[in-house]
Amino acid sequence: MRDPRRLLKRMRELMAVQEHAQARLDHLTAMIAEEAGWDVCSIYLARQSNALELCATYGLKPESVHHVRLQPGEGLVGLVARRARPLSTSNARAHPAFSYKPETGEEPFNTFVGVPILRGGRMVGVLTAQTAQERQVAGDEIETLQTVAMVLAEIVASGDIVESEEMAGLDLRQSRPERFQGGAFSGGVAKGVAVLFEPHVESARLIADDPAGEEERLDTAISALRASIDDMLDSGRIPFGGPTRDVLQAYRMFAHDRGWLERLREAVRRGLTAEAAVERVRNENRARLMKAADHTFRERLHDLEDLANRLLRHLEGGVKTANLPDNAIIIARNIGPAELLDFDREKLKGIALEEGSASSHAAIVAKALGIPLVGRLEGALDRAEDGDPVILDGEFGLLHIRPQPDVVETYEARIRTLSERRLAYAELRGPAVTADGVRVGLHMNAGLLIELMALDEIGADGVGLFRTEFQFMVAETLPRLSAQAAVYKAVLDAAGNKPVVFRTLDLGGDKVAPFAPSTVEPNPALGWRAIRMGLDRPGLLRYQLRALILAAAGRQLQVMFPMIAAPWEMRAARDMLDRELLHAKRAGHDLPSEVRVGIMLETPGMAWALEHAIDSVDFVSVGANDLMQYFFAADRQNSRVSERYDVLSPSALDLLKRINDICVAHDTPVSVCGEVAAKPLEAAVLVALGYRNLSMAASNIGPIKKLVSGLDARKLGTWLASRLASPADSLRPLLLEAGDEAGLPREAVENGRVI
């Protein structure tokens, strides 16, 4: 056999020639047969029915092209496609899977070898070679055909072949509409084009000019990959948005696996670029493991996918996020907040993730930017192609890939309706007042300076929660005092005369800063996080408090401490703030005109001990997301249990009423912060329980303000009072049935059916 690199070079030259699609495939089969010494070379491509059609051949009867089709699994070719792995035999007719097709004229040919043509792990077709002589097919011959098949996959999926008349009906690019149901993590509807976050390598970069140089590049990237994994594991800092320690341990094992590395190097030695070698091995793994029934093997596929992506990033110097097309909808396995912020926000219209959670920081950032985000869309990356038309429904958690015209028409009408509704909400800039005259303060949650640009536009009364941890999570080192103070001052400047509540660092659990101490914990949500970390590492918290004091010179400073579980923690945190105020005074700094200290009530233990800590605080913010998580012992990031319990159950409402009653009795302002406050039916109930301040994502303020205007708070309060002792699992069905009789506006009933 001649040098396979010579064959790849000739293929590259052929790719540059402008010729008819069928002629190109015919030339390819002749070239492969000539260079590799085969009597026959044939290309079978997949049709939308999953049948395999003979589309080009050298050595078989030309008239059989486009007339011979093999049904799924039929013959040796079908077996190759079904197994997604090579097959060779020295006596084809004796093989139990052999299927005789007399119209091809293949009777004289005994030795058969077939390899799958894979693109993105998807079966595009099968490349076969045959000889009349009976002989064993050598491993390097199969390896060469596999390398050729990878290049061939890009050629047959290129535009001219897809559009060719002879190839009509072939499944070279995915064309069937696909619908995925996932989780709605950031609301809104977007229509645009798919952009795969980890796209396939381009065909122009498949074939190497300098194989020795490519192998050196590959080895350098592998060394860098190993070093980065070792560093993350050995230093104990797992980057936010990245894999868990267990997954990194698996990465380390795979990154040192001799079989995986040798397959990469062998692909490069046969003429592929380093990137193409990674893509080829990734394709083979994906095709095989996606067919596995064992869930463990499919989980391993995710590890191998991520490892391949990391290796590609080392080869290419990082993922390029610039030059997005207009109306881009990113489809990815997962994404971190820093990566999301790198995209052009004028062009980015939506995010679709195979993983993700409603409380992830990517979801929080997406909400902040008003970008729809849907997660838990398993398999979406395998079924989408770059440039596919897509519709993302962030209200119902749906992703439509290549939607039918009637689906497009329906969503275009919805998008127009939502746009009109946003304009109507924008007109509601005055205060939120119920139908019976109760004033309700509506505040926005934020974590990015850019979010405050919408403060006046949405008519928010202020910032009820500014998350301070994002600045830390995207920094490799602890932000300097001046940098922290500059951010906080910019937030106060942007808010103008509207109040801002700064929550101190809520790190730990799923929120990790690269420089912060980190430990592996069996239950991170209940572990060393938030104020617990701040009190144990006082330097970190005092540094932040010092920056907040400097930023608020001459203005009101409102500071809130998260995850307080016992009164002594609140007293210790307040004492730390008092010491920093004294330090600033002694240093001659201008002090805030007023300092107000709050507690973020997120634990049932603190809810029952609130009376013992109420004198230490100036305000209370109920962190309803975590409070309900701990109250029901249901992980809100676990889809199996996160929606199993209802905040409108009598027991949960009784707890929320108790908290409000204690605050009212002590004349302490209280608010509810989080997703509960942003849901129409739940918001109506909170107001009826006595809460007069709610804090939520900016996009929810308009709808909740409209809801409040139609609510009879006293009527609903009376209705609830007689039912809090009810044995019902949830008051939701009763509330929806009562509707107007309970003082509820139409919006609460229409949107209150989903927990």
Side-chain angles (χ1 to χ4, degrees):
M1 178 180 290
R2 298 181 182 178
D3 187 346
R5 288 175 292 191
R6 170 187 160 91
L7 172 56
L8 289 179
K9 182 179 179 181
R10 289 186 64 188
M11 289 181 69
R12 182 170 61 184
E13 292 169 351
L14 177 63
M15 290 160 61
V17 175
Q18 296 298 317
E19 62 179 342
H20 194 270
Q22 186 63 56
R24 176 175 288 188
L25 290 184
D26 291 341
H27 286 150
L28 273 171
T29 54
M31 183 187 301
I32 294 167
E34 177 188 343
E35 288 289 335
W38 296 98
D39 296 328
V40 174
C41 178
S42 305
I43 296 172
Y44 293 81
L45 298 177
R47 297 189 63 85
Q48 293 178 8
S49 63
N50 291 325
L52 290 162
E53 180 175 310
L54 178 62
C55 289
T57 187
Y58 173 86
L60 298 181
K61 292 181 178 180
E63 56 268 28
S64 64
V65 172
H66 298 303
H67 289 91
V68 169
R69 290 185 189 173
L70 299 170
Q71 295 307 307
E74 182 183 0
L76 298 176
V77 175
L79 185 60
V80 172
R82 181 166 61 84
R83 291 180 175 176
R85 63 182 63 192
L87 170 70
S88 67
T89 175
S90 60
N91 188 346
R93 280 170 288 185
H95 194 284
F98 179 75
S99 176
Y100 178 55
K101 296 291 181 183
E103 57 268 45
T104 64
E106 62 181 344
E107 294 90 341
F109 306 108
N110 294 298
T111 300
F112 169 94
V113 60
V115 298
I117 304 172
L118 302 168
R119 188 171 189 270
R122 191 172 61 88
M123 183 63 58
V124 173
V126 175
L127 172 65
T128 69
Q130 296 167 269
T131 63
Q133 177 188 4
E134 288 191 28
R135 65 179 182 83
Q136 294 297 316
V137 180
D140 65 338
E141 292 180 288
I142 295 175
E143 185 72 27
T144 295
L145 286 175
Q146 286 182 286
T147 301
V148 168
M150 179 178 178
V151 180
L152 186 58
E154 297 299 325
I155 295 174
V156 299
S158 63
D160 59 338
I161 291 182
V162 170
E163 312 250 339
S164 167
E165 189 174 324
E166 294 92 342
M167 309 298 166
L170 293 176
D171 196 21
L172 305 184
R173 286 181 63 91
Q174 304 194 62
S175 58
R176 293 191 301 273
E178 300 279 357
R179 178 184 181 275
F180 292 86
Q181 175 69 64
F185 299 156
S186 178
V189 177
K191 175 174 171 280
V193 297
V195 177
L196 304 191
F197 186 54
E198 299 289 358
H200 304 302
V201 292
E202 298 295 330
S203 58
R205 301 180 57 230
L206 291 175
I207 302 171
D209 293 318
D210 177 11
E214 288 298 312
E215 187 168 359
E216 185 176 339
R217 285 184 63 231
L218 178 65
D219 286 339
T220 300
I222 289 170
S223 296
L225 172 68
R226 289 172 169 174
S228 67
I229 296 172
D230 290 345
D231 178 60
M232 284 187 284
L233 279 167
D234 297 340
S235 66
R237 55 179 181 83
I238 310 301
F240 168 76
T244 64
R245 187 176 185 86
D246 288 343
V247 171
L248 281 175
Q249 293 280 15
Y251 287 174
R252 176 186 270 175
M253 178 184 71
F254 289 134
H256 289 267
D257 181 77
R258 291 183 180 180
W260 183 66
L261 297 173
E262 189 53 37
R263 287 162 67 199
L264 291 172
R265 293 191 178 104
E266 184 59 30
V268 167
R269 290 170 191 148
R270 291 183 174 274
L272 293 180
T273 61
E275 289 86 353
V278 175
E279 189 68 17
R280 182 194 136 177
V281 174
R282 186 233 296 269
N283 272 340
E284 293 168 0
N285 288 331
R286 184 188 290 166
R288 293 171 187 171
L289 294 178
M290 283 299 289
K291 295 177 182 294
D294 190 334
H295 181 70
T296 303
F297 284 106
R298 294 177 70 106
E299 285 298 312
R300 176 169 291 185
L301 170 63
H302 289 317
D303 294 343
L304 288 169
E305 288 274 324
D306 275 355
L307 191 65
N309 290 336
R310 286 170 179 270
L311 184 52
L312 284 172
R313 285 199 287 271
H314 282 290
L315 283 166
E316 298 185 348
V319 176
K320 307 298 186 294
T321 58
N323 302 319
L324 286 180
D326 292 336
N327 301 320
I329 295 178
I330 299 295
I331 302 179
R333 182 182 174 198
N334 216 334
I335 197 168
E339 293 166 318
L340 198 160
L341 289 169
D342 281 340
F343 290 109
D344 183 341
R345 290 190 286 277
E346 292 297 317
K347 295 183 176 181
L348 179 61
K349 301 303 178 185
I351 302 283
L353 302 177
E354 290 196 327
E355 298 183 351
S357 70
S359 57
S360 71
H361 282 79
I364 292 171
V365 171
K367 287 180 183 177
L369 300 176
I371 297 172
L373 187 150
V374 177
R376 301 181 192 144
L377 299 165
E378 184 176 353
L381 274 172
D382 289 325
R383 304 309 300 171
E385 298 267 6
D386 277 312
D388 277 341
V390 292
I391 293 174
L392 189 70
D393 187 337
E395 307 296 328
F396 294 97
L398 292 169
L399 172 66
H400 297 270
I401 302 174
R402 302 175 293 274
Q404 297 273 29
D406 59 331
V407 175
V408 174
E409 185 178 340
T410 299
Y411 271 98
E412 285 177 343
R414 267 191 68 193
I415 290 170
R416 286 194 298 271
T417 300
L418 290 172
S419 179
E420 292 167 2
R421 191 175 297 171
R422 279 193 295 271
L423 291 174
Y425 291 148
E427 298 298 319
L428 302 173
R429 297 195 179 185
V433 181
T434 67
D436 56 332
V438 176
R439 172 74 165 90
V440 179
L442 298 181
H443 304 260
M444 68 179 284
N445 297 338
L448 301 169
L449 185 59
I450 190 174
E451 296 178 76
L452 272 67
M453 295 172 62
L455 191 57
D456 290 326
E457 179 184 338
I458 62 175
D461 293 305
V463 180
L465 166 66
F466 189 86
R467 305 177 183 90
T468 59
E469 53 269 11
F470 285 126
Q471 183 187 15
F472 292 76
M473 289 164 55
V474 298
E476 288 298 320
T477 58
L478 176 68
R480 298 177 65 85
L481 182 67
S482 58
Q484 291 186 47
V487 170
Y488 306 144
K489 183 178 184 300
V491 170
L492 292 169
D493 290 343
N497 60 356
K498 294 187 176 182
V500 178
V501 175
F502 291 97
R503 185 180 69 186
T504 60
L505 286 174
D506 189 6
L507 294 173
D510 64 333
K511 294 172 283 187
V512 180
F515 57 84
S518 176
T519 57
V520 179
E521 298 179 302
N523 195 335
L526 302 179
W528 194 59
R529 50 170 293 208
I531 196 62
R532 297 167 178 176
M533 183 185 293
L535 294 178
D536 288 354
R537 296 290 185 271
L540 184 65
L541 181 55
R542 290 185 65 178
Y543 203 54
Q544 183 185 31
L545 293 174
R546 191 170 297 180
L548 285 164
I549 292 167
L550 290 174
R555 294 188 279 196
Q556 183 191 67
L557 173 62
Q558 296 196 84
V559 178
M560 179 167 64
F561 296 101
M563 194 63 183
I564 300 290
W568 70 265
E569 291 178 327
M570 186 64 230
R571 290 191 290 269
R574 180 148 198 166
D575 180 63
M576 197 177 293
L577 175 60
D578 289 339
R579 278 185 282 164
E580 286 306 315
L581 286 166
L582 181 61
H583 175 273
K585 182 178 180 179
R586 288 175 175 171
H589 297 304
D590 291 336
L591 298 179
S593 60
E594 180 188 12
V595 177
R596 301 183 74 245
V597 181
I599 180 175
M600 192 156 200
L601 202 161
E602 302 171 271
T603 66
M606 193 64 243
W608 290 102
L610 183 57
E611 289 175 294
H612 302 294
I614 199 78
D615 293 336
S616 302
V617 301
D618 301 304
F619 63 93
V620 173
S621 177
V622 179
N625 294 349
D626 270 338
L627 180 61
M628 289 298 105
Q629 169 177 249
Y630 300 136
F631 182 75
F632 288 115
D635 182 357
R636 59 192 174 99
Q637 296 193 56
N638 184 335
S639 60
R640 292 184 177 181
V641 298
S642 60
E643 297 177 356
R644 191 182 184 113
Y645 306 98
D646 195 349
V647 70
L648 296 183
S649 67
S651 58
L653 294 180
D654 190 54
L655 176 66
L656 291 169
K657 184 177 184 300
R658 181 180 188 278
I659 293 168
N660 183 73
D661 290 347
I662 292 172
C663 291
V664 170
H666 288 80
D667 198 25
T668 302
V670 60
S671 65
V672 175
C673 174
E675 292 179 23
V676 170
K679 296 180 178 180
L681 186 57
E682 285 83 338
V685 169
L686 289 170
V687 173
L689 290 177
Y691 287 94
R692 296 295 176 259
N693 287 284
L694 305 176
S695 190
M696 64 200 70
S699 59
N700 296 120
I701 287 180
I704 296 301
K705 188 175 290 187
K706 179 72 166 60
L707 163 91
V708 167
S709 67
L711 172 67
D712 188 327
R714 291 185 180 87
K715 191 174 183 180
L716 179 56
T718 301
W719 188 95
L720 285 170
S722 62
R723 290 166 175 82
L724 287 183
S726 167
D729 293 332
S730 171
L731 297 184
R732 187 179 301 273
L734 298 175
L735 282 162
L736 295 174
E737 183 179 347
D740 183 62
E741 293 180 12
L744 287 168
R746 177 172 51 84
E747 291 85 359
V749 176
E750 288 180 349
N751 299 291
R753 300 186 184 281
V754 180
I755 296 176

